[in-house]
Amino acid sequence: MGEILFLAHRAPWPPNRGDKIRSHHFLQKLMDCAPVHVACFADDEAERDIGWDRKAELASCEIVVRNKPKWRAGIEALASGKPVSLASFQSVEVGNYVADVIATRPVDCIFIFSGQMAQFIPADYRGRVVMDFADVDSAKFESYADEGSGPMAWINRREGRLLRAFEKTVAERADHSLFVSEAEALLFRQRSGLSDEQVKAVGNGIDLEFYGAQDVEAEVSDNNGPLILFTGQMDYQPNVQAVQSFSTEVMPDILARFPDARFAIVGRAPTEKVTQLDGENGTIVTGAVDDIRSWIMAADVVVAPLRIARGIQNKVLEAMAMAKPVVASACAAEGIEATDGKHFLIAQSVAEEARLVCDLLGDAERAMQFGEQARILIHSHYSWETQLADLPGLCGFQHPVIAEAVA
């Protein structure tokens, strides 16, 4: 039985943010197929040392702390003609680990999570390569450039152009390139000219047991007014942009109808731009919380007002799994196989976001119906078992077995 080399740009545990949730479940699925070697990065020493109950089952593991300053990565990228995304993740340690594992172990498949890690595929490796891009990153940077101005627009345009060429080269080398939704896969096929067989959609799932638990208690507040919720990693630029827009442009209209309404921004690492919103227009900024489910449980409406988004938004799936009505922007809803007006509501403008949220706050029975329809959909279509059913076959392992850790 062959082995798998799994490369990820962040340690796949704990599964506490969107990309790590996806990589975590992919890794566990592959561990049930064959021995797996893992090479990944951590943001700091504390993250590198975080434990995981299945870590001892890995065939081997290399976690490298990524401490290269952004300015240095930028200079290296300009000097080399590479995307900044690649320069940021260059690592002699990871390169040496990959070379050693391939030289000494029977690695039949390299599974790469996130495009930055594709630079570590050895040029002479002849085994199977499966590349999980998740999203079309180059398109994201092109969107940043289109919406920006000045030096940052130039930087983002350069990043988008170079990443687009790199993504195509990697996908041509890979046996399969995976994306989080059919919309992302279709976009990449159009940009790369590759076939349906080469470019496939493998969606995100939801831990139904976790989000379906009955013992979760709702967050309690002294204010009994309606609660509107946004969840996410709050140093991620699209999330920052989304909450700034909702707090400053949408909440005033909601407060005109519901003066005691609150908008809670819940998620780790809020930037200064986010923390400055606290106390304005009914906005609450919590930072990291012990259990995100308590806030979802307490919410009357969950919003996903992203202006730039790629792939599938886990925040939307999580809220739907807990039977909460969701109002999402068009790009935040893209890729989710749900029906507007039945499972969630899609807003096409800032004004419509305010109107749709107010309609739900003013009609509790209708809001409950949306939540229940959403819950039924998620539980029938979005389990990880369902979403990852084809993954072993794509990696060349048709009959998954519980793999024993090897020395």
Side-chain angles (χ1 to χ4, degrees):
M1 181 176 62
E3 298 176 4
I4 299 170
L5 174 59
F6 188 98
L7 309 178
H9 70 311
R10 289 191 177 94
W13 60 81
N16 56 9
R17 53 178 291 168
D19 52 358
K20 297 180 71 167
I21 291 171
R22 182 173 171 89
S23 64
H24 180 79
H25 286 279
F26 274 58
L27 173 59
Q28 293 202 99
K29 187 70 172 181
L30 294 178
M31 288 173 67
D32 292 339
C33 297
V36 179
H37 305 265
V38 171
C40 58
F41 289 93
D43 289 335
D44 50 40
E45 300 284 349
E47 185 177 41
R48 185 186 64 181
D49 296 336
I50 290 175
W52 178 43
D53 57 3
R54 293 196 67 183
K55 188 176 180 181
E57 298 176 37
L58 295 172
S60 68
C61 182
E62 177 78 4
I63 305 177
V64 175
V65 175
R66 188 170 69 89
N67 51 18
K68 182 184 294 185
K70 290 182 179 179
W71 62 265
R72 180 180 168 187
I75 292 174
E76 291 177 359
L78 290 172
S80 64
K82 295 180 178 180
V84 177
S85 305
L86 267 63
S88 296
F89 285 85
Q90 285 177 332
S91 167
V92 173
E93 296 95 328
V94 171
N96 289 340
Y97 171 82
V98 169
D100 181 66
V101 169
I102 290 176
T104 60
R105 303 303 308 175
V107 174
D108 285 347
C109 176
I110 300 178
F111 186 94
I112 304 106
F113 184 86
S114 192
Q116 300 97 317
M117 302 303 291
Q119 63 186 307
F120 297 108
I121 304 172
D124 59 352
Y125 177 70
R126 295 294 175 261
R128 183 181 293 258
V129 172
V130 179
M131 176 70 235
D132 183 25
F133 287 104
D135 308 325
V136 184
D137 271 355
S138 57
K140 177 179 66 178
F141 283 101
E142 290 167 5
S143 297
Y144 291 164
D146 291 342
E147 294 207 356
S149 61
M152 282 307 301
W154 180 88
I155 291 171
N156 286 324
R157 190 166 291 110
R158 175 187 184 274
E159 190 75 1
R161 172 174 52 81
L162 294 178
L163 272 182
R164 181 169 180 166
F166 178 73
E167 289 166 348
K168 185 174 186 295
T169 298
V170 171
E172 289 172 342
R173 165 64 183 89
D175 293 86
H176 300 290
S177 293
L178 311 182
F179 291 86
V180 74
S181 68
E182 182 55 38
E184 291 291 294
L186 176 60
L187 174 63
F188 191 78
R189 292 186 201 112
Q190 294 169 342
R191 292 161 72 94
S192 67
L194 298 177
S195 68
D196 291 3
E197 179 60 27
Q198 294 167 287
V199 180
K200 297 179 176 292
V202 176
N204 278 355
I206 282 291
D207 185 336
L208 298 179
E209 183 177 350
F210 181 78
Y211 286 99
Q214 300 299 309
D215 58 349
V216 179
E217 295 186 5
E219 183 70 21
V220 177
S221 171
D222 293 336
N223 186 329
N224 293 321
L227 178 65
I228 304 157
L229 177 68
F230 179 95
T231 65
Q233 181 76 18
M234 292 317 305
D235 58 357
Y236 180 53
Q237 184 55 34
N239 286 344
V240 174
Q241 184 186 41
V243 297
Q244 283 183 299
S245 173
F246 195 88
S247 178
T248 60
E249 300 177 76
V250 182
M251 279 303 294
D253 288 344
I254 294 174
L255 291 170
R257 183 170 171 185
F258 297 94
D260 55 352
R262 297 159 294 150
F263 173 46
I265 302 169
V266 180
R268 67 180 58 79
T271 65
E272 183 178 354
K273 289 181 178 179
V274 175
T275 58
Q276 288 176 346
L277 299 173
D278 191 45
E280 300 293 328
N281 296 322
T283 302
I284 304 165
V285 179
T286 70
V289 297
D290 292 334
D291 191 342
I292 193 67
R293 296 174 300 175
S294 64
W295 283 90
I296 299 175
M297 183 71 74
D300 294 284
V301 178
V302 175
V303 294
L306 283 88
R307 311 311 179 207
I308 296 175
R310 301 239 58 88
I312 290 179
Q313 298 300 312
N314 286 332
K315 58 175 65 67
V316 174
L317 298 182
E318 291 163 0
M320 293 171 71
M322 293 186 67
K324 291 298 174 177
V326 174
V327 175
S329 63
C331 64
E334 188 175 78
I336 298 176
E337 297 180 7
T339 302
D340 180 23
K342 179 179 180 181
H343 303 111
F344 56 13
L345 292 171
I346 299 177
Q348 301 295 339
S349 66
V350 167
E352 193 170 21
E353 283 175 354
R355 180 179 65 78
L356 292 176
V357 170
C358 285
D359 287 349
L360 289 171
L361 294 181
D363 190 340
E365 183 176 350
R366 181 166 177 260
M368 186 180 300
Q369 290 173 350
F370 270 108
E372 182 57 22
Q373 290 293 333
R375 187 194 66 80
I376 293 171
L377 173 73
I378 297 301
H379 281 253
S380 62
H381 289 86
Y382 280 95
S383 71
W384 278 109
E385 182 179 358
T386 299
Q387 294 296 323
L388 300 186
D390 294 336
L391 183 63
L394 295 174
C395 294
F397 298 90
Q398 298 296 338
H399 302 289
V401 296
I402 302 300
E404 295 182 359
V406 296

